[in-house]
Amino acid sequence: MLARFDLEKTYKYLLISLAFLMPLTVAGANTIIVIICLLWLLSGSYSIKYAQITNSKLMIASIFFFFLHVIGLIWTEDLSWGFHMLHKMWYFLLLLPVLFSIVKKEYIWQIIYAFLVAIAITEVISYLIWFEIIIPFKSATVSNPTPFMSHISYNPILAFAIYLVLHEIFFNKKITNFVFSLYSFFSISMIFNMFITGGRAGQVAFFAMLVVLIIQILDKQRIKSLITIFIVIPGIFFTAYQASDLFQQRVNLAFNQAIEYHPESNNSIGYRITFALNSWEVIKENPIIGIGTGDFPIEYKKIYQIKEQALIPNTKNPHNMYILIVMELGIIGLISMLSIFYYQIKLSFNSSNRFIRDVGITLPFLFLVIMWSDSYLLGHYTTLMFVFFSSFLYKDFEKY
C-alpha cells in the first residue's frame, strides 16, 4: 500500500490532470477518474473517509439522489433503460464523495489554473477553426467551432470559466499588472468566443453569470447594481447581436420559433415545448413518485402515439432536467435534486473566503438556469465540471 505522503502527492497530480483533461477528452478524463476511484477504494482509512462524507449534508444529499434512482427501479417497467440512467448518475454516488474526501485546500488554485489552461487551449483551437487556419474536426464546423464537445456543453463551461477569470480581475487585490493584463485579454477573447459558437443555453448562462457578478461586485448597493445590470447586460447583448451573425441568427431563430409555436413545430424550441407539454400528461398522473427510473421512453412514446405528432420526433429525453426528474421520480425526486443545490448555496453563504463563497453560489445558480433547456446533469462534460468543482467549493477544510 502507498505511504500516506506518496498517496496524497499522487492524488494531487491526478486531480490537476483531471482538471486539465476534463474539457478536452472524455477518454482521458475517464481514465483519471478510474485511477482515482481505484486508489481511493484500495487505500484504506475507510473510517476517516466515511466520517468526512457522512458529516457533509451535501454528500448525503448527493448519495440520496442516486439511491432514489435505485429505488425508482422498483416500479420501472424498462429495467435496461433504468440501469442506463443509473449509470449516468453514478457520479453522485461515488465520484463526488471520493473527490470530496481527497481534495486539499492547497490544491484548489492549481486545479483551477489547470482547468483554465485547458479552456485556453480549446479557445485557441476554436479560433483557428473559425479563421479557417486548421480544418474542423470532431463536432466543430467553421460556423460553430467547438472542437472537443458540442456547443450544448461547451458554452456553459465557457461561461463558468469566464466567471472565474472575471472574479480574479475584480476581487484579487494582489494580482500583478502582467496577470491582470493576461486575464483581461483572456476574458475578452472568451466572451467573443461565446458569441461565435452556437450554445444558446451557455449564452443565457453567461448573461446570468454577469448579473450575479455585478451583484457581488456592488455588494449591498442594490440600486447601483440594478442600474449597472440594466446598462451592461443589454449593452453586451446588442453588441454581440450586431457583431456576430451566428448569435443574431440563433437569437432570431429562438424568438421566431417561440412566438410561432404550434404542436407540430419542427424545430428545437418547438420540440422542447412539445416535449414539456407531452411530459405533463404523464406527470399529472404520477406526481408524487413518478413513473420509475427507466420508463420515460416508454411512457412518453404512449403519449406521442396518442397525439399522432408525426412531424415531431419521439424522444428519450425531454431536454429539461426538471421535467425528466419529476417524470421519473415525481416531486420527491425534484426535492431531492434541489436539495443538492440548496446545500451548495447554504454552505457557500457560511464560507469566510470571498472566492469560495462567490463561486460556490454562482455554480449552482448557472446550473439551475441551464437545466431548463437540457438535462445538464446527464452530460459527461457538464456533470463532471459540476461534480469536480463541488468537491472542493463546499468542503470545510478546517474540519479535515
Side-chain angles (χ1 to χ4, degrees), residues 217-252:
I217 293 169
L218 301 174
D219 189 22
K220 298 178 181 178
Q221 301 180 57
R222 295 181 181 179
I223 302 300
K224 198 171 182 180
S225 295
L226 285 173
I227 293 171
T228 305
I229 288 167
F230 283 120
I231 293 173
V232 171
I233 302 300
I236 294 176
F237 178 88
F238 287 113
T239 300
Y241 185 82
Q242 295 298 324
S244 171
D245 290 339
L246 178 62
F247 181 63
Q248 186 176 126
Q249 291 167 8
R250 297 283 287 173
V251 169
N252 291 344

Side-chain angles (χ1 to χ4, degrees), residues 21 35 112 118 144 157 197 294 324-325 330 356 367 372 377 391-392:
L21 294 173
I35 295 171
I112 292 172
N144 193 13
I157 292 174
T197 50
L324 178 65
I325 294 300
I356 295 296
F367 271 81
W372 287 103
L377 292 183
S391 70
F392 59 82

Side-chain angles (χ1 to χ4, degrees), residues 16-248:
I16 293 170
S17 299
L18 179 58
F20 177 75
L21 294 173
M22 181 170 59
L24 300 175
T25 165
V26 174
N30 282 343
T31 300
I32 299 297
I33 289 169
V34 169
I35 295 171
I36 288 173
C37 290
L38 285 175
L39 280 175
W40 187 86
L41 290 169
L42 298 173
S43 59
S45 302
Y46 301 116
S47 60
I48 296 174
K49 294 170 182 173
Y50 176 80
Q52 285 193 31
I53 293 167
T54 55
N55 284 330
S56 168
K57 291 181 180 179
L58 176 60
M59 294 304 107
I60 293 172
S62 175
I63 294 169
F64 181 79
F65 182 57
F66 173 84
F67 276 109
L68 204 55
H69 285 77
V70 176
I71 296 169
L73 293 174
I74 295 172
W75 56 92
T76 291
E77 183 179 340
D78 187 349
L79 281 175
S80 63
W81 190 257
F83 283 113
H84 170 76
M85 294 302 296
L86 208 60
H87 171 72
K88 291 277 188 180
M89 291 292 165
W90 82 274
Y91 284 1
F92 294 93
L93 169 70
L94 183 59
L95 184 59
L96 179 52
V98 166
L99 295 178
F100 178 82
S101 66
I102 66 173
V103 71
K104 302 292 183 183
K105 187 176 182 179
E106 55 268 27
Y107 304 167
I108 292 176
W109 276 106
Q110 294 173 68
I111 288 170
I112 292 172
Y113 289 144
F115 172 72
L116 292 177
V117 168
I119 295 297
I121 292 171
T122 304
E123 182 194 353
V124 168
I125 295 174
S126 176
Y127 278 120
L128 291 175
I129 293 171
W130 191 62
F131 285 115
E132 300 185 59
I133 296 172
I134 63 174
I135 298 172
F137 60 94
K138 293 186 72 174
S139 60
T141 63
V142 172
S143 61
N144 193 13
T146 55
F148 298 111
M149 65 188 86
S150 76
H151 61 265
I152 295 172
S153 299
Y154 178 69
N155 285 59
I157 292 174
L158 185 63
F160 186 64
I162 293 170
Y163 174 83
L164 293 175
V165 175
L166 289 178
H167 193 279
E168 278 297 280
I169 290 172
F170 285 103
F171 291 103
N172 188 347
K173 305 302 182 183
K174 298 179 181 179
I175 195 170
T176 65
N177 290 334
F178 172 75
V179 174
F180 178 84
S181 300
L182 181 64
Y183 277 1
S184 297
F185 174 79
F186 189 25
S187 62
I188 292 169
S189 65
M190 284 194 293
I191 291 170
F192 187 80
N193 193 240
M194 173 68 67
F195 296 105
I196 64 168
T197 50
R200 286 180 295 211
Q203 290 160 356
V204 171
F206 167 74
F207 287 112
M209 172 274 296
L210 281 182
V211 171
V212 175
L213 184 63
I214 290 169
I215 292 171
Q216 291 170 346
I217 293 169
L218 301 174
D219 189 22
K220 298 178 181 178
Q221 301 180 57
R222 295 181 181 179
I223 302 300
K224 198 171 182 180
S225 295
L226 285 173
I227 293 171
T228 305
I229 288 167
F230 283 120
I231 293 173
V232 171
I233 302 300
I236 294 176
F237 178 88
F238 287 113
T239 300
Y241 185 82
Q242 295 298 324
S244 171
D245 290 339
L246 178 62
F247 181 63
Q248 186 176 126

Side-chain angles (χ1 to χ4, degrees), residues 340-350 360-361 364 368 394:
I340 294 172
F341 295 92
Y342 167 77
Y343 285 118
Q344 286 178 320
I345 295 170
K346 183 179 180 180
L347 291 167
S348 296
F349 278 117
N350 292 336
I361 291 169
L368 288 168
Y394 311 103

Side-chain angles (χ1 to χ4, degrees), residues 257-357:
Q257 288 175 356
I259 63 173
E260 295 172 2
Y261 170 77
H262 58 82
E264 292 292 318
S265 294
N266 189 13
N267 53 62
S268 60
I269 300 297
Y271 293 162
R272 282 169 168 80
I273 295 172
T274 300
F275 293 160
L277 293 174
N278 289 350
S279 297
W280 173 246
E281 297 297 321
V282 179
I283 290 170
K284 65 185 183 182
E285 298 295 328
N286 309 270
I288 307 301
I289 62 172
I291 57 175
T293 304
D295 281 2
F296 181 93
I298 290 175
E299 294 300 324
Y300 185 88
K301 188 175 182 180
K302 293 176 183 176
I303 298 296
Y304 174 78
Q305 290 174 335
I306 290 170
K307 294 194 173 184
E308 298 181 342
Q309 295 167 326
L311 297 179
I312 304 294
N314 189 20
T315 187
K316 295 180 178 180
N317 182 345
H319 295 276
N320 182 308
M321 195 72 205
Y322 302 100
I323 292 173
L324 178 65
I325 294 300
V326 174
M327 190 159 167
E328 288 183 336
L329 301 172
I331 298 298
I332 293 174
L334 180 63
I335 293 172
S336 175
M337 182 181 75
L338 292 178
S339 71
I340 294 172
F341 295 92
Y342 167 77
Y343 285 118
Q344 286 178 320
I345 295 170
K346 183 179 180 180
L347 291 167
S348 296
F349 278 117
N350 292 336
S351 176
S352 59
N353 182 288
R354 180 66 191 255
F355 176 81
I356 295 296
R357 182 174 72 249

Side-chain angles (χ1 to χ4, degrees), residues 378-395:
L378 296 182
H380 168 83
Y381 291 102
T382 50
T383 307
L384 181 54
M385 185 186 77
F386 180 82
V387 165
F388 196 12
F389 278 87
S390 295
S391 70
F392 59 82
L393 288 173
Y394 311 103
K395 181 173 180 176

